[in-house]
PDB file of all heavy atoms in Angstrom:
ATOM      1  N   THR A   8     311.900 -64.121 156.239  1.00 31.00           N
ATOM      2  CA  THR A   8     310.703 -64.316 155.458  1.00 31.00           C
ATOM      3  C   THR A   8     310.966 -65.253 154.300  1.00 31.00           C
ATOM      4  O   THR A   8     312.132 -65.596 154.009  1.00 31.00           O
ATOM      5  CB  THR A   8     310.246 -63.026 154.908  1.00 31.00           C
ATOM      6  OG1 THR A   8     311.356 -62.355 154.458  1.00 31.00           O
ATOM      7  CG2 THR A   8     309.450 -62.306 155.955  1.00 31.00           C
ATOM      8  N   PHE A  30     301.497 -58.833 144.187  1.00 36.00           N
ATOM      9  CA  PHE A  30     301.789 -59.455 145.479  1.00 36.00           C
ATOM     10  C   PHE A  30     302.898 -60.580 145.250  1.00 36.00           C
ATOM     11  O   PHE A  30     302.699 -61.425 144.447  1.00 36.00           O
ATOM     12  CB  PHE A  30     300.582 -60.017 146.123  1.00 36.00           C
ATOM     13  CG  PHE A  30     300.863 -60.575 147.466  1.00 36.00           C
ATOM     14  CD1 PHE A  30     301.147 -59.763 148.523  1.00 36.00           C
ATOM     15  CD2 PHE A  30     300.895 -61.938 147.657  1.00 36.00           C
ATOM     16  CE1 PHE A  30     301.462 -60.282 149.769  1.00 36.00           C
ATOM     17  CE2 PHE A  30     301.223 -62.475 148.920  1.00 36.00           C
ATOM     18  CZ  PHE A  30     301.495 -61.630 149.991  1.00 36.00           C
ATOM     19  N   TYR A  31     303.960 -60.484 145.987  1.00 43.00           N
ATOM     20  CA  TYR A  31     305.001 -61.389 145.739  1.00 43.00           C
ATOM     21  C   TYR A  31     305.395 -62.176 146.994  1.00 43.00           C
ATOM     22  O   TYR A  31     306.320 -62.924 147.017  1.00 43.00           O
ATOM     23  CB  TYR A  31     306.314 -60.685 145.324  1.00 43.00           C
ATOM     24  CG  TYR A  31     306.557 -59.453 146.206  1.00 43.00           C
ATOM     25  CD1 TYR A  31     307.328 -59.595 147.378  1.00 43.00           C
ATOM     26  CD2 TYR A  31     306.066 -58.204 145.932  1.00 43.00           C
ATOM     27  CE1 TYR A  31     307.546 -58.580 148.150  1.00 43.00           C
ATOM     28  CE2 TYR A  31     306.290 -57.174 146.742  1.00 43.00           C
ATOM     29  CZ  TYR A  31     307.040 -57.362 147.889  1.00 43.00           C
ATOM     30  OH  TYR A  31     307.199 -56.272 148.758  1.00 43.00           O
ATOM     31  N   GLY A  32     304.474 -62.092 148.032  1.00 41.00           N
ATOM     32  CA  GLY A  32     304.718 -62.875 149.182  1.00 41.00           C
ATOM     33  C   GLY A  32     304.467 -64.366 148.903  1.00 41.00           C
ATOM     34  O   GLY A  32     303.755 -64.676 148.005  1.00 41.00           O
ATOM     35  N   ARG A  64     312.544 -55.747 147.829  1.00 98.00           N
ATOM     36  CA  ARG A  64     311.736 -56.929 147.966  1.00 98.00           C
ATOM     37  C   ARG A  64     310.789 -57.108 146.741  1.00 98.00           C
ATOM     38  O   ARG A  64     310.669 -58.199 146.203  1.00 98.00           O
ATOM     39  CB  ARG A  64     310.892 -56.831 149.250  1.00 98.00           C
ATOM     40  CG  ARG A  64     311.800 -56.952 150.551  1.00 98.00           C
ATOM     41  CD  ARG A  64     312.217 -58.334 150.753  1.00 98.00           C
ATOM     42  NE  ARG A  64     311.100 -59.242 151.062  1.00 98.00           N
ATOM     43  CZ  ARG A  64     311.174 -60.526 151.005  1.00 98.00           C
ATOM     44  NH1 ARG A  64     312.348 -61.131 150.711  1.00 98.00           N
ATOM     45  NH2 ARG A  64     310.138 -61.295 151.224  1.00 98.00           N
ATOM     46  N   TYR A 105     305.145 -48.781 161.407  1.00 98.00           N
ATOM     47  CA  TYR A 105     306.015 -49.475 160.479  1.00 98.00           C
ATOM     48  C   TYR A 105     305.390 -50.855 160.111  1.00 98.00           C
ATOM     49  O   TYR A 105     305.830 -51.476 159.150  1.00 98.00           O
ATOM     50  CB  TYR A 105     307.332 -49.720 161.002  1.00 98.00           C
ATOM     51  CG  TYR A 105     308.255 -48.496 161.012  1.00 98.00           C
ATOM     52  CD1 TYR A 105     308.884 -48.005 162.100  1.00 98.00           C
ATOM     53  CD2 TYR A 105     308.629 -47.920 159.801  1.00 98.00           C
ATOM     54  CE1 TYR A 105     309.725 -46.936 162.032  1.00 98.00           C
ATOM     55  CE2 TYR A 105     309.479 -46.841 159.690  1.00 98.00           C
ATOM     56  CZ  TYR A 105     310.104 -46.340 160.830  1.00 98.00           C
ATOM     57  OH  TYR A 105     310.965 -45.323 160.814  1.00 98.00           O
ATOM     58  N   ASP A 106     304.401 -51.306 160.898  1.00 97.00           N
ATOM     59  CA  ASP A 106     303.911 -52.695 160.808  1.00 97.00           C
ATOM     60  C   ASP A 106     303.495 -53.092 159.384  1.00 97.00           C
ATOM     61  O   ASP A 106     303.775 -54.183 158.917  1.00 97.00           O
ATOM     62  CB  ASP A 106     302.786 -52.937 161.809  1.00 97.00           C
ATOM     63  CG  ASP A 106     303.375 -53.273 163.175  1.00 97.00           C
ATOM     64  OD1 ASP A 106     304.566 -53.331 163.300  1.00 97.00           O
ATOM     65  OD2 ASP A 106     302.583 -53.592 164.036  1.00 97.00           O
ATOM     66  N   LEU A 107     302.718 -52.184 158.786  1.00 97.00           N
ATOM     67  CA  LEU A 107     302.098 -52.557 157.494  1.00 97.00           C
ATOM     68  C   LEU A 107     303.237 -52.805 156.488  1.00 97.00           C
ATOM     69  O   LEU A 107     303.225 -53.868 155.803  1.00 97.00           O
ATOM     70  CB  LEU A 107     301.156 -51.411 157.018  1.00 97.00           C
ATOM     71  CG  LEU A 107     300.510 -51.612 155.647  1.00 97.00           C
ATOM     72  CD1 LEU A 107     299.634 -52.858 155.775  1.00 97.00           C
ATOM     73  CD2 LEU A 107     299.734 -50.400 155.220  1.00 97.00           C
ATOM     74  N   SER A 108     304.143 -51.887 156.378  1.00 96.00           N
ATOM     75  CA  SER A 108     305.212 -52.060 155.450  1.00 96.00           C
ATOM     76  C   SER A 108     306.059 -53.304 155.696  1.00 96.00           C
ATOM     77  O   SER A 108     306.401 -54.037 154.812  1.00 96.00           O
ATOM     78  CB  SER A 108     306.089 -50.817 155.542  1.00 96.00           C
ATOM     79  OG  SER A 108     307.356 -51.028 155.069  1.00 96.00           O
ATOM     80  N   ARG A 109     306.316 -53.511 157.000  1.00 97.00           N
ATOM     81  CA  ARG A 109     307.016 -54.711 157.412  1.00 97.00           C
ATOM     82  C   ARG A 109     306.384 -56.003 156.985  1.00 97.00           C
ATOM     83  O   ARG A 109     306.993 -56.884 156.384  1.00 97.00           O
ATOM     84  CB  ARG A 109     307.048 -54.585 158.921  1.00 97.00           C
ATOM     85  CG  ARG A 109     308.003 -55.351 159.618  1.00 97.00           C
ATOM     86  CD  ARG A 109     307.929 -54.962 161.074  1.00 97.00           C
ATOM     87  NE  ARG A 109     308.212 -56.118 161.912  1.00 97.00           N
ATOM     88  CZ  ARG A 109     308.382 -56.068 163.205  1.00 97.00           C
ATOM     89  NH1 ARG A 109     308.125 -54.921 163.808  1.00 97.00           N
ATOM     90  NH2 ARG A 109     308.633 -57.129 163.833  1.00 97.00           N
ATOM     91  N   LYS A 110     305.103 -56.107 157.169  1.00 96.00           N
ATOM     92  CA  LYS A 110     304.321 -57.315 156.797  1.00 96.00           C
ATOM     93  C   LYS A 110     304.157 -57.465 155.314  1.00 96.00           C
ATOM     94  O   LYS A 110     304.396 -58.491 154.707  1.00 96.00           O
ATOM     95  CB  LYS A 110     302.934 -57.354 157.447  1.00 96.00           C
ATOM     96  CG  LYS A 110     302.971 -57.601 158.954  1.00 96.00           C
ATOM     97  CD  LYS A 110     301.606 -57.981 159.468  1.00 96.00           C
ATOM     98  CE  LYS A 110     301.542 -57.854 160.974  1.00 96.00           C
ATOM     99  NZ  LYS A 110     300.821 -56.751 161.467  1.00 96.00           N
ATOM    100  N   GLN A 111     303.791 -56.308 154.747  1.00 95.00           N
ATOM    101  CA  GLN A 111     303.426 -56.268 153.302  1.00 95.00           C
ATOM    102  C   GLN A 111     304.648 -56.780 152.435  1.00 95.00           C
ATOM    103  O   GLN A 111     304.482 -57.423 151.460  1.00 95.00           O
ATOM    104  CB  GLN A 111     303.097 -54.784 153.000  1.00 95.00           C
ATOM    105  CG  GLN A 111     302.771 -54.502 151.601  1.00 95.00           C
ATOM    106  CD  GLN A 111     301.307 -54.878 151.361  1.00 95.00           C
ATOM    107  OE1 GLN A 111     300.657 -55.435 152.163  1.00 95.00           O
ATOM    108  NE2 GLN A 111     300.858 -54.505 150.153  1.00 95.00           N
ATOM    109  N   HIS A 112     305.797 -56.357 152.916  1.00 97.00           N
ATOM    110  CA  HIS A 112     306.977 -56.630 152.069  1.00 97.00           C
ATOM    111  C   HIS A 112     307.911 -57.692 152.686  1.00 97.00           C
ATOM    112  O   HIS A 112     308.984 -57.956 152.118  1.00 97.00           O
ATOM    113  CB  HIS A 112     307.811 -55.318 151.832  1.00 97.00           C
ATOM    114  CG  HIS A 112     306.908 -54.275 151.224  1.00 97.00           C
ATOM    115  ND1 HIS A 112     306.295 -54.404 150.038  1.00 97.00           N
ATOM    116  CD2 HIS A 112     306.499 -53.100 151.792  1.00 97.00           C
ATOM    117  CE1 HIS A 112     305.590 -53.319 149.809  1.00 97.00           C
ATOM    118  NE2 HIS A 112     305.636 -52.499 150.845  1.00 97.00           N
ATOM    119  N   GLY A 113     307.526 -58.285 153.758  1.00 97.00           N
ATOM    120  CA  GLY A 113     308.282 -59.362 154.316  1.00 97.00           C
ATOM    121  C   GLY A 113     309.680 -58.890 154.739  1.00 97.00           C
ATOM    122  O   GLY A 113     310.706 -59.483 154.407  1.00 97.00           O
ATOM    123  N   LEU A 114     309.738 -57.834 155.524  1.00 98.00           N
ATOM    124  CA  LEU A 114     311.005 -57.273 155.966  1.00 98.00           C
ATOM    125  C   LEU A 114     311.402 -57.822 157.305  1.00 98.00           C
ATOM    126  O   LEU A 114     310.505 -57.913 158.206  1.00 98.00           O
ATOM    127  CB  LEU A 114     310.904 -55.680 156.027  1.00 98.00           C
ATOM    128  CG  LEU A 114     310.443 -55.004 154.805  1.00 98.00           C
ATOM    129  CD1 LEU A 114     310.308 -53.504 155.103  1.00 98.00           C
ATOM    130  CD2 LEU A 114     311.336 -55.197 153.653  1.00 98.00           C
ATOM    131  N   ASN A 115     312.623 -58.137 157.488  1.00 98.00           N
ATOM    132  CA  ASN A 115     313.076 -58.442 158.810  1.00 98.00           C
ATOM    133  C   ASN A 115     313.341 -57.118 159.536  1.00 98.00           C
ATOM    134  O   ASN A 115     313.898 -56.263 158.914  1.00 98.00           O
ATOM    135  CB  ASN A 115     314.391 -59.181 158.831  1.00 98.00           C
ATOM    136  CG  ASN A 115     314.237 -60.474 157.977  1.00 98.00           C
ATOM    137  OD1 ASN A 115     313.282 -61.251 158.288  1.00 98.00           O
ATOM    138  ND2 ASN A 115     315.051 -60.636 156.983  1.00 98.00           N
ATOM    139  N   TRP A 116     312.988 -57.016 160.801  1.00 98.00           N
ATOM    140  CA  TRP A 116     313.005 -55.755 161.425  1.00 98.00           C
ATOM    141  C   TRP A 116     313.693 -55.840 162.794  1.00 98.00           C
ATOM    142  O   TRP A 116     313.395 -56.748 163.587  1.00 98.00           O
ATOM    143  CB  TRP A 116     311.562 -55.274 161.702  1.00 98.00           C
ATOM    144  CG  TRP A 116     311.547 -53.742 161.850  1.00 98.00           C
ATOM    145  CD1 TRP A 116     311.762 -53.026 163.060  1.00 98.00           C
ATOM    146  CD2 TRP A 116     311.295 -52.783 160.805  1.00 98.00           C
ATOM    147  NE1 TRP A 116     311.635 -51.707 162.753  1.00 98.00           N
ATOM    148  CE2 TRP A 116     311.370 -51.486 161.441  1.00 98.00           C
ATOM    149  CE3 TRP A 116     311.023 -52.902 159.475  1.00 98.00           C
ATOM    150  CZ2 TRP A 116     311.138 -50.292 160.720  1.00 98.00           C
ATOM    151  CZ3 TRP A 116     310.753 -51.715 158.765  1.00 98.00           C
ATOM    152  CH2 TRP A 116     310.775 -50.448 159.397  1.00 98.00           C
TER     153      TRP A 116
END
Side-chain angles (χ1 to χ4, degrees):
Chain A
T8 46
F30 182 72
Y31 48 87
R64 291 286 297 162
Y105 282 123
D106 275 2
L107 180 62
S108 159
R109 198 173 147 173
K110 286 198 195 106
Q111 180 83 352
H112 306 297
L114 307 176
N115 302 307
W116 203 276

